DNA sequence: GTGAAAGCGCTAACAA
DNA sequence: TTGTTAGCGCTTTCAC
């Protein structure tokens, strides 16, 4: 079924059919109606490739996701999709399993398929490569940082303030000594959080003790081992961890040492993962605005795509969006009244 | 950058360039090498649309997902993607939020974009519509059933045997009376499981008591209310629920009634969701082979796509694949030795 | 082994 | 308002 057949059936030229498809206002109402009916009747859909060859947009964006089984990433993805759909775009979601080769290959695929823009979540790609993608004419937005992203359009979370405020909360709860278990990866975020921790302590004139600052694997096991070590060396009254996973491990270690959370050692995590309000005691943590990250990222991308004509966002100064986190105060931090224990 | 420029740079005709791209064996080695070098140097990629206009395949498949935030669905998706990638295909993942209108619109989009095949997960689309998609020339595979799928290529899980075997397990654990809380949706699966439950009881010559068979909402709340009711009316010694969520609710209700799981009432769920081995006591449940479902579904689709030439799987008898579940025996079912408590 | 040219299905400039 | 026609970038048939 092609445009010629429609034209023939309607007794008009292909141009007229094309017109009712693209500029219906330029077709006489009667002719238009007739053609529209035939199109509907024969269920004609213009050939995607032929159209693509003429227009140079596909109403498609590419979304590169580090790991499809991680609900946090998928929440971001949902944010992106929500905006895309509303804009009439369809989203190519690509799962790259944190593999840089695969990520590259997917990005190539997306370029080959002429997507109108690309969103990279926590990308592992190097700066130079991303630059080359932009140079090839594809607007790019980075969501979440794995490295220095100052040269690109990006959406990130303010981990520093997030960490600072949760540590402040611990301080306000009366804990005089506070340790930190920080995951070594993703590096930039962990360092930001470490800085937030330090700022909070400094802000209250509290000393930074080296034995209370430990780098661990960003896993439950890592948290367990790190907390265990701290406990053996003489533990602080509270521990802040840079991820909920580390916190779960730490809580286990504390319980295994016949100590109680939060009475003996309070714990606070980061991420507000689903389990955080299912463990006993419920975990005080920091909520990250995943869905919002997706929404803002997508909006940014569409601004670039629809940006003033020729430049299409290229050569413009990159836009940076930083979103704030939200405290989720639950029992594990030893707060007297458990305010804010939302759910 | 187009084929003309390459041709000019190499001092040959476009036909020759096209040949090294598609049938390199028909080009003189010297010419070929020369052209290949230029292609690499200029980083030339053939235009996707122009190619699409000539070939009629896109090396792309569409995957329609009911809900992107559900990890179970995403595991299936990962299975599909794993196969697709290995085959050199790229997957269009579409999130339809269980909305039939959106699902239709996505399927249209996929057809417009001329994907080579479509996989529908737990589709809400009616039979007739799916038929029309197939008639339009798109191979379709259904993964998971929401309705009668006998007319289509499909992959499903044998819920009946899954339910039967877990109920048998409860019986073997010594429970003399066993109730069932079955979610009303998805209907077909729930009914299959109900049948499995009945078969297990009948098989052991146990009576079916109506007050032990209750339909509830397929949610934690539904499970809570259903169990509550059973407890008030005089509870069985064990309860099988058709989803883990219902089981969580039931466990809560049992605890709230000052009864113990499994000592007073044993519980078994269905699904092996992530939380099932985090709750106390850990939940005995049935593991569904999500990843496998994706893999088999994708393989089936590629068989159709690559199927013998013209027919492309159309008109062929549909293939049905049924996968078996796996028991996860944990403490909640009152098994003496907790065998099989894998993780 | 290579080139000229037709054609894939559509859009849009130009002509009528 | 409508039709004619030249592309869009590529593949492939048919000559040479």
């Amino acid at each position: 079924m092609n445009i010629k057949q429609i034209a023939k059936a309607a007794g008009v030229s292909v141009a007229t059919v094309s017109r009712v498809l693209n500029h219906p206002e330029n077709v006489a109402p009667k002719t238009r109606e007739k053609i529209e009916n035939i199109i509907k009747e024969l269920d004609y859909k213009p050939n995607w490739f032929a159209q693509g060859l003429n227009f140079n947009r596909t109403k498609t964006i590419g979304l590169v996701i580090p790991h499809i089984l991680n609900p946090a990433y998928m929440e971001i993805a949902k944010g992106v999709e929500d905006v895309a759909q509303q804009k009439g775009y369809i989203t190519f979601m690509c799962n790259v399993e944190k593999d840089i080769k695969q990520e590259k290959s997917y990005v190539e695929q997306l370029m080959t398929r002429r997507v109108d823009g690309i969103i990279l979540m926590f990308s592992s790609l190097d700066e130079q490569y991303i630059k080359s993608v932009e140079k090839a004419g594809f607007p790019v937005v980075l969501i979440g940082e794995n490295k220095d992203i100052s040269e690109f359009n990006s959406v990130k979370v303010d981990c520093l303030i997030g960490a600072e405020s949760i540590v402040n909360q611990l301080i306000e709860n009366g804990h005089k000594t506070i340790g930190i278990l920080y995951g070594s990866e993703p590096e930039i975020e962990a360092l930001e959080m470490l800085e937030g921790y330090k700022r909070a302590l400094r802000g209250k004139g509290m000393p930074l003790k080296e034995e209370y600052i430990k780098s661990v694997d960003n896993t439950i096991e890592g948290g367990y081992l790190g907390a265990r070590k701290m406990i053996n060396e003489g533990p602080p009254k509270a521990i802040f961890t840079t991820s909920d996973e580390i916190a779960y491990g730490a809580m286990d270690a504390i319980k295994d040492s016949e100590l109680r959370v939060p009475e003996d050692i309070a714990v606070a995590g980061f991420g507000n993962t689903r389990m955080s309000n299912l463990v006993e005691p419920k975990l005080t943590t920091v909520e990250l605005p995943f869905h919002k990250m997706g929404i803002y990222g997508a909006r940014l991308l569409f601004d670039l795509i629809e940006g003033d004509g020729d430049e299409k966002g290229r050569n413009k100064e990159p836009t940076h969006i930083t979103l704030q986190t939200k405290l989720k105060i639950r029992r594990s931090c030893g707060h007297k009244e458990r305010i804010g224990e939302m759910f």
Side-chain angles (χ1 to χ4, degrees), chain A residues 209-235:
Chain A
K209 292 202 190 171
E210 209 168 301
E211 66 267 34
Y212 288 166
I213 300 178
K214 285 206 188 317
S215 163
V216 299
D217 256 20
N218 190 3
T219 59
I220 295 183
E221 291 71 33
Y224 187 92
L225 296 174
R228 201 82 204 200
K229 221 168 172 187
M230 267 192 193
I231 292 168
N232 289 339
E233 297 169 359

Side-chain angles (χ1 to χ4, degrees), chain A residues 21 32 34 68 76 104 137 214 219 295 297 318 338 342:
Chain A
L21 254 25
R32 180 169 72 205
K34 187 176 174 189
I68 213 183
I76 298 181
K104 251 185 193 163
K214 285 206 188 317
T219 59
I295 290 180
R338 292 197 235 171
M342 312 292 287

Side-chain angles (χ1 to χ4, degrees), chain A residues 172-271:
Chain A
E172 277 165 30
N173 289 358
H175 303 296
K176 299 298 181 203
T177 51
I178 298 173
I180 179 173
L181 295 172
Y182 66 99
S184 37
E185 198 228 3
E187 208 186 333
I188 291 221
E189 297 192 344
L191 293 180
E192 261 189 34
M193 289 191 260
L194 183 57
E195 183 54 33
Y197 160 82
K198 289 181 180 170
R199 269 213 334 218
L201 294 198
R202 276 198 223 104
K204 306 277 177 177
M206 292 168 64
L208 292 173
K209 292 202 190 171
E210 209 168 301
E211 66 267 34
Y212 288 166
I213 300 178
K214 285 206 188 317
S215 163
V216 299
D217 256 20
N218 190 3
T219 59
I220 295 183
E221 291 71 33
Y224 187 92
L225 296 174
R228 201 82 204 200
K229 221 168 172 187
M230 267 192 193
I231 292 168
N232 289 339
E233 297 169 359
K237 300 302 291 178
I239 299 177
F240 164 58
T241 68
T242 62
S243 80
D244 282 359
E245 282 69 34
I246 299 177
Y248 301 141
M251 281 170 68
D252 265 356
I254 294 169
K255 287 180 205 160
D256 281 0
S257 307
E258 313 273 309
L259 296 171
R260 290 158 308 161
V261 180
E263 291 80 357
D264 298 311
I265 303 178
V267 174
F270 200 96

Side-chain angles (χ1 to χ4, degrees), chain A residues 64-67 94-107 121-125 146:
Chain A
V64 177
I65 303 169
H67 191 57
C94 307
N95 171 35
V96 297
E97 298 287 326
K98 299 197 177 176
D99 179 67
I100 190 162
K101 261 198 189 153
Q102 212 171 316
E103 185 169 1
K104 251 185 193 163
S105 118
Y106 263 126
V107 172
M121 274 170 56
F122 296 93
S123 173
S124 317
L125 297 172
N146 256 348

Side-chain angles (χ1 to χ4, degrees), chain A residues 75-112:
Chain A
E75 234 175 282
I76 298 181
K78 176 141 172 35
V80 171
E81 238 215 352
D82 286 346
V83 176
Q85 224 210 333
Q86 189 200 324
K87 282 269 185 187
Y89 280 69
I90 182 166
T91 309
F92 245 134
M93 289 195 269
C94 307
N95 171 35
V96 297
E97 298 287 326
K98 299 197 177 176
D99 179 67
I100 190 162
K101 261 198 189 153
Q102 212 171 316
E103 185 169 1
K104 251 185 193 163
S105 118
Y106 263 126
V107 172
E108 305 275 315
Q109 290 273 5
L110 292 172
M111 295 200 289
T112 299

Side-chain angles (χ1 to χ4, degrees), chain A residues 53-66:
Chain A
L53 211 48
N54 287 286
F55 302 140
N56 228 4
R57 48 163 188 63
T58 52
K59 286 275 201 172
T60 308
I61 63 171
L63 174 60
V64 177
I65 303 169

